[in-house]
Amino acid sequence: LSSIAKKFIVSESEVPTSWYNIQADLPVPLPPPLHPGELRPCGPEDFAPLFPMSLIAQEVSAERHIEIPEPVREVLSLWRPSPLIRASRWENMLGLPPDVKVFYKYEGVSPSGSHKTNTAVPQVYYNKQAGTQKITTETGAGQWGSALAWSGAQFDMPIEVYQVKVSYEQKPYRKAFIEACGARIFPSPSTRTQFGTQCLAEDPQTNGSLGMAISEAIEACVTSPGGAAKYALGSVLSHVLMHQTVIGQEAIEQLAVAGDYPDVVVGCTGGGSNFAGIALPLLGQQLRGEAPKSATRFLAVEPAACPSLTRGRYCYDFGDTAKMTPLIKSHTLGASFMPPSLHSGGLRYHAMAPLISHIKELGLLEARAVKQSAAFDAGHTFFKAEGILPAPEATHA
């Protein structure tokens, strides 16, 4: 057997008891979302039709740590802490020098197979506490829809999912998973909403986009009888990114066990939650002067076919195609941008999370766009060496 330690697993007692909010450590505050009609900073009442007040409070909080409710932590402990693994066989396959080590945080151990469950569980929990009767959402490749559907089953919450049409057709097993959880799923655009019907009338062959699916899910929420439904988002918003920081917090403890600390932290970016989960707690250490190394680089990698961070404008824009959301300041390709039908469905979003964009504007992270063929080639070599076939999105990292 190899003398190189592969897996760094800490005990269940190391599951974080709070989420980390990097907004407490940023040198410049995040630009606020704006009301689309009045162009004033949005207040809690502007988000109330979509989200419970507990999540709205998290979205605007400047507290460094927000406690994870015990019922949420109990569900998360089914798979957390997730393992930190050294990719030593991949290092050898790539011919890396002996002093170069590659570690990865494996989120495939979650019930839905991705990091998305880390935020789906608390979002469903807070909605249940608020008396919400149904949650609507969108999904691209299906990881987020799967995570929310499974989480809905944990708290007896009905879930309604609008999946981008091209991914709905490419990935039938996601539909099977979502329905097995008791949730409902529809290809987007659909005839269930006025906006979806309009999109199909304009282009009956449209592949759909995350922007379209978001619009449908929001419309389904705000038109629900008696306002009984709420909406959930799997990326982009600050509270969603904050929920993912359990990943990086665990990684810090596991790296200490390994006796290492990263020179470079890499994550794929579509809306920003994957990258945020691993990067923000480590970046927070840098900002507070608590990191063992002071020059760690943070690299966000996106698809060349949907390059919001590397080629988008940093400006206020809508988060959906129908222009129903507040205006958010981020790197954007335009709310009407229609991405090509690349297989990385989870990265097919026109804009970046405002928090990730803001951090890039502060010069605290780097961004790079890669072509899908190169990403898939890297994922293939990783699979041959490590025995894990990454999702198309993760291969970009």
Side-chain angles (χ1 to χ4, degrees):
L1 291 175
S2 170
S3 61
I4 297 175
K6 289 277 294 182
K7 299 184 183 70
F8 300 91
I9 303 172
V10 293
S11 71
E12 289 184 14
S13 64
E14 297 298 324
V15 174
T17 57
S18 63
W19 294 296
Y20 166 62
N21 182 10
I22 198 171
Q23 294 192 63
D25 294 320
L26 291 177
V28 179
L30 180 69
L34 300 180
H35 188 282
E38 303 171 20
L39 298 182
R40 57 167 173 78
C42 289
E45 68 281 356
D46 296 310
F47 293 102
L50 299 178
F51 307 109
M53 289 305 298
S54 50
L55 290 176
I56 296 171
Q58 291 182 10
E59 182 70 16
V60 300
S61 175
E63 295 292 323
R64 180 174 287 117
H65 298 287
I66 294 178
E67 183 179 359
I68 301 175
E70 189 55 36
V72 172
R73 197 165 178 265
E74 190 275 329
V75 176
L76 294 180
S77 68
L78 287 172
W79 69 94
R80 307 217 69 86
S82 65
L84 179 76
I85 303 174
R86 181 175 172 186
S88 57
R89 299 184 79 246
W90 196 44
E91 294 168 9
N92 292 334
M93 178 179 286
L94 297 175
L96 299 179
D99 61 337
V100 176
K101 303 175 185 178
V102 178
F103 294 88
Y104 64 95
K105 195 82 161 82
Y106 184 48
E107 292 297 300
V109 294
S110 84
S112 66
S114 82
H115 69 292
K116 295 291 187 180
T117 325
N118 298 327
T119 183
V121 172
Q123 289 197 54
V124 172
Y125 169 79
Y126 286 119
N127 271 283
K128 188 71 173 182
Q129 293 296 106
T132 302
Q133 297 179 26
K134 180 177 74 173
I135 298 176
T136 66
T137 196
E138 75 293 323
T139 194
Q143 286 97 331
W144 167 241
S146 297
L148 195 68
W150 183 84
S151 301
Q154 308 315 300
F155 296 102
D156 193 28
M157 175 67 70
I159 306 293
E160 187 172 288
V161 181
Y162 292 83
Q163 184 173 21
V164 178
K165 179 184 173 184
V166 64
S167 293
Y168 181 91
E169 295 172 346
Q170 289 173 343
K171 305 173 188 294
Y173 294 112
R174 284 295 176 184
K175 175 177 182 290
F177 182 99
I178 288 169
E179 291 180 336
C181 294
R184 303 176 72 193
I185 179 171
F186 309 97
S188 174
S190 72
T191 56
R192 293 180 55 81
T193 66
Q194 290 186 6
F195 179 71
T197 301
Q198 174 187 328
C199 291
L200 289 170
E202 294 173 356
D203 181 6
Q205 304 304 315
T206 180
N207 286 318
S209 70
L210 271 172
M212 287 182 178
I214 290 171
S215 296
E216 286 209 274
I218 291 176
E219 181 181 330
C221 167
V222 299
T223 58
S224 63
K230 295 294 183 184
Y231 167 70
L233 192 62
S235 192
V236 180
L237 295 179
S238 296
H239 71 270
V240 179
L241 274 58
M242 183 180 65
H243 294 161
Q244 296 296 349
T245 60
V246 293
I247 301 172
Q249 291 183 76
E250 291 174 2
I252 289 171
E253 299 299 322
Q254 291 163 319
L255 286 163
V257 173
D260 269 300
Y261 196 83
D263 297 293
V264 184
V265 178
V266 185
C268 66
T269 49
S273 68
N274 185 310
F275 176 79
I278 187 67
L280 296 189
L282 290 150
L283 178 56
Q285 284 191 317
Q286 300 277 323
L287 293 172
R288 295 190 303 275
E290 299 172 356
K293 295 181 181 179
S294 60
T296 298
R297 295 169 53 208
F298 296 88
L299 179 60
V301 187
E302 62 185 1
C306 201
S308 58
L309 266 180
T310 54
R311 298 183 63 184
R313 291 178 58 212
Y314 184 58
C315 63
Y316 277 98
D317 193 13
F318 291 95
D320 71 317
T321 305
K323 302 181 179 179
M324 300 171 67
T325 68
L327 293 165
I328 57 175
K329 193 169 188 181
S330 68
H331 292 90
T332 176
L333 299 168
S336 60
F337 176 76
M338 180 60 66
S341 304
L342 72 163
H343 284 273
S344 302
L347 305 182
R348 298 174 71 247
Y349 187 57
H350 68 274
M352 185 52 59
L355 187 55
I356 300 301
S357 284
H358 181 58
I359 291 171
K360 180 177 184 290
E361 288 298 300
L362 294 176
L364 300 174
L365 69 81
E366 306 166 42
R368 183 176 302 171
V370 299
K371 292 185 177 180
Q372 180 170 266
S373 57
F376 282 12
D377 286 345
H380 187 231
T381 63
F382 184 89
F383 172 56
K384 288 195 293 185
E386 298 295 322
I388 295 173
L389 183 61
E393 293 80 9
T395 63
H396 287 71

